[in-house]
């Protein structure tokens, strides 16, 4: 196993894992159950690639993903959660803060 990403919160870790698995790379999230368990000591969830040979490729995918590369490829714009007002990257389909689902058509231009 190789560490490819330290996430800021469990939802991000699972998004990265899902992205990697969509690319055919088996990944695992560790530490998401411990998130916040130690009070002042932040325990951040980490994403691991099971096949070390794919770690370098996975690294590139994660960097691209976090920079919004996936969003650009899919033509998604940033969106604002209608429930809590959080501003989110286009690749997120759910609000990581409150869990609300992205409104499906509000961002689409209608002609
Ligand atoms: Zn929200």
């Amino acid at each position: 196993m190789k560490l490819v990403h330290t996430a800021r919160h469990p939802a991000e870790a699972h998004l990265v894992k899902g992205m990697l698995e969509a690319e055919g790379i088996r990944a695992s999230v560790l530490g998401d159950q411990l998130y916040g368990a130690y009070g002042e000591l932040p325990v951040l969830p980490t994403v691991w690639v099971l096949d070390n040979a794919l770690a370098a490729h996975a690294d590139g995918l994660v960097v691209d993903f976090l920079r919004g590369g996936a969003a650009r490829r899919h033509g998604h714009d940033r969106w604002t959660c209608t429930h809590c007002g959080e501003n989110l990257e286009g690749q997120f389909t759910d609000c990581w803060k409150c869990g609300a689902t992205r409104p499906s058509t509000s961002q689409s231009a209608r002609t």
Side-chain angles (χ1 to χ4, degrees):
M1 296 230 297
K2 270 199 89 139
L3 175 67
V4 292
H5 182 59
T6 301
R8 286 163 295 179
H9 43 74
E12 182 186 293
H14 284 280
L15 278 169
V16 169
K17 173 180 184 277
M19 180 278 295
L20 288 172
E21 294 194 327
E23 299 284 341
I25 298 172
R26 289 182 62 211
S28 191
V29 172
L30 296 181
D32 57 331
Q33 305 301 323
L34 297 173
Y35 182 70
Y38 295 117
E40 290 176 26
L41 278 178
V43 179
L44 296 174
T46 48
V47 184
W48 299 75
V49 167
L50 304 190
D51 185 344
N52 290 358
L54 293 174
H57 179 51
D59 256 338
L61 289 172
V62 170
V63 168
D64 190 46
F65 179 71
L66 295 173
R67 282 182 183 158
R72 280 195 300 277
R73 278 200 299 279
H74 298 296
H76 291 160
D77 296 320
R78 292 182 71 89
W79 58 286
T80 302
C81 177
T82 53
H83 187 252
C84 72
E86 184 68 22
N87 194 245
L88 296 140
E89 299 286 342
Q91 70 267 35
F92 295 102
T93 55
D94 298 301
C95 175
W96 60 261
K97 197 172 186 182
C98 73
T101 302
R102 178 182 185 163
S104 54
T105 55
S106 65
Q107 300 279 330
S108 312
R110 238 174 277 162
T111 50

